[in-house]
Amino acid sequence: GRLVHGGATLDGNGLGVEEQEIGEVELRVSTDGSLLVVEQARVDGPLLKAATEAEIDLERREATVRALEAEVNGRAARLTQPLSLSWSEDGFALADLALDSLGGQVRGSLRRAGADWQGSLTVRAVDLRQLAGELEGHLDCDLTATGTRFEVLATVPEFAFEGHRGRLELKISQEQGGIRLDRLELEAGGALKATGVGQLPFRLDPDSGALVRLEEPDHPTRLSIRGEITDASLFVKKIVSGGLAFSIEADQQGLQASAELRKVVLDGGVELPSRTTLGLGGGADGLVLTVNSEPDGIGELNGTVRSDEPVVWTEPTTLKRAFEKGRVKGKVRINLPDLQFVARLVTQVRHLEGAAQ
């Protein structure tokens, strides 16, 4: 029926849904014809604290959110100007989004008409400490989208991590041919450096938000990521010192990844061979894992493990299937001139002498 002029108030204390406590709820509304006025809607609970004021015109299918403040897990957001909404049978429009949140500003709009999407989002000076407590700095981000096409540019002009200062620039876009990694540039002083580009055989579906694999992409698949970590202890707790260089190269034929460990010392003073290279390759011929270390008096470790089950690197489940269904064979050679290496590695061993091969 048609709404008539009136009013209502709802108060609740300790309201819960499916055994999840919401907290105290307050709702005050009034009506005038097709106009529904939310004079006060408030939730005060352990997970969510929010308060809003809005006007909803059901006949014109329009709404204006005049005020909104919310806090989730200690992170707050507040509208800085009224937000406009409208809807129809085949879509909706959100305009004039302006939020102060996470120490920065968020501005944007979004429209959908049938299968057509169009939107933009601008993020400025978001405090990284509110996203990842160990990082100091500010994030800027720009997003534009039309239909299935989009472009995202995220930059951190300067950040601080464990005493190192760095920067990040990441650009990702999507066209009909799939998702493209246009640019990855990450640098953290002398501790970390990484670069990357690529064309991936995936498409982000705007309706479901799911990644869809393209069986016949318009552009050749390729991915190239290279980097170097001079102080691996910043990222792996068991490592005391040392670094590594890594690379990932992939195309339609398969993937090749490698990591070269350089003078790595583990917790407890365990020194690994000064240069140890780990490799992973996958393609139509199967999966190959390799390890090779240079002789340096500490020890040698060389080996290869293979599975003949085909691997498609864009389908992670095939990696698991390679070991479950494939014929796995391999050969590993270990040479330890001093078994004290094992005693230091396995802390339960108190004393060990000799050599092993």
Side-chain angles (χ1 to χ4, degrees):
R2 186 176 178 82
L3 289 171
V4 297
H5 179 74
T9 300
L10 171 65
D11 290 290
N13 194 358
L15 182 63
V17 176
E18 295 183 353
E19 299 183 358
Q20 177 64 61
E21 182 182 357
I22 295 177
E24 184 180 343
V25 178
E26 179 184 356
L27 177 63
R28 296 200 308 270
V29 299
S30 62
T31 61
D32 183 6
S34 65
L35 185 64
L36 178 66
V37 180
V38 181
E39 300 172 357
Q40 177 71 52
R42 183 177 63 86
V43 177
D44 189 356
L47 297 179
L48 171 66
K49 301 180 186 297
T52 186
E53 300 173 8
E55 295 178 357
I56 305 172
D57 192 323
L58 299 176
E59 186 174 321
R60 300 181 62 180
R61 298 184 179 183
E62 296 177 349
T64 301
V65 181
R66 301 204 175 278
L68 172 64
E69 294 186 6
E71 181 179 324
V72 180
N73 295 330
R75 296 179 174 89
R78 179 180 64 87
L79 276 181
T80 58
Q81 67 182 40
L83 171 66
S84 299
L85 289 163
S86 63
W87 64 94
S88 62
E89 294 180 356
D90 67 343
F92 64 89
L94 180 152
D96 305 322
L97 172 65
L99 284 172
D100 281 351
S101 182
L102 302 176
Q105 298 80 43
V106 180
R107 305 288 184 269
S109 63
L110 181 63
R111 181 184 65 84
R112 180 183 182 182
D116 181 40
W117 289 83
Q118 186 170 352
S120 64
L121 186 70
T122 301
V123 177
R124 291 290 179 268
V126 163
D127 188 354
L128 289 178
R129 288 174 298 184
Q130 298 196 42
L131 296 175
E134 298 179 350
L135 287 174
E136 295 184 12
H138 293 90
L139 168 70
D140 295 335
C141 184
D142 293 284
L143 170 107
T144 57
T146 302
T148 59
R149 292 179 169 85
F150 69 78
E151 181 178 290
V152 181
L153 175 62
T155 58
V156 179
E158 184 178 22
F159 66 83
F161 175 71
E162 297 289 346
H164 297 275
R165 308 196 73 82
R167 66 178 186 88
L168 167 68
E169 184 170 339
L170 175 65
K171 183 180 179 182
I172 299 175
S173 60
Q174 174 171 286
E175 297 182 350
Q176 290 297 111
I179 294 177
R180 186 172 64 233
L181 174 60
D182 296 286
R183 182 165 61 255
L184 167 63
E185 295 181 2
L186 173 61
E187 185 175 355
L192 169 65
K193 179 181 291 186
T195 60
V197 293
Q199 177 75 47
L200 304 179
F202 298 103
R203 180 176 59 83
L204 181 66
D205 181 20
D207 293 317
S208 64
L211 278 177
V212 179
R213 186 173 181 271
L214 302 175
E215 297 298 332
E216 297 182 0
D218 295 339
H219 302 288
T221 299
R222 61 185 179 87
L223 179 65
S224 177
I225 298 177
R226 295 177 177 270
E228 183 176 4
I229 300 174
T230 57
D231 186 0
S233 66
L234 295 174
F235 309 97
V236 182
K237 292 183 179 180
K238 290 293 184 180
I239 294 179
V240 175
S241 64
L244 63 90
F246 60 90
S247 68
I248 300 173
E249 300 290 337
D251 56 20
Q252 298 99 313
Q253 305 303 318
L255 174 142
Q256 296 291 329
S258 67
E260 182 185 278
L261 308 182
R262 299 173 177 175
K263 297 183 178 180
V264 170
V265 179
L266 302 179
D267 191 15
V270 179
E271 295 182 37
L272 298 183
S274 59
R275 284 187 180 270
T276 300
T277 302
L278 307 176
L280 169 66
D285 295 333
L287 183 70
V288 180
L289 302 174
T290 61
V291 56
N292 292 287
S293 62
E294 297 179 3
D296 59 359
I298 296 176
E300 295 178 57
L301 177 61
N302 298 282
T304 302
V305 177
R306 298 177 179 271
S307 170
D308 60 1
E309 181 73 13
V311 170
V312 180
W313 67 271
T314 55
E315 296 183 12
T317 56
T318 63
L319 295 175
K320 180 181 179 181
R321 191 167 63 236
F323 287 101
E324 291 180 344
K325 297 185 177 181
R327 291 182 302 172
V328 179
K329 59 182 180 179
K331 183 179 181 181
V332 177
R333 181 177 181 273
I334 302 174
N335 181 17
L336 297 176
D338 184 1
L339 288 181
Q340 283 295 316
F341 172 83
V342 179
R344 292 192 299 270
L345 185 63
V346 183
T347 56
Q348 290 83 355
V349 178
R350 295 186 177 181
H351 182 73
L352 194 63
E353 293 182 356
Q357 184 170 338

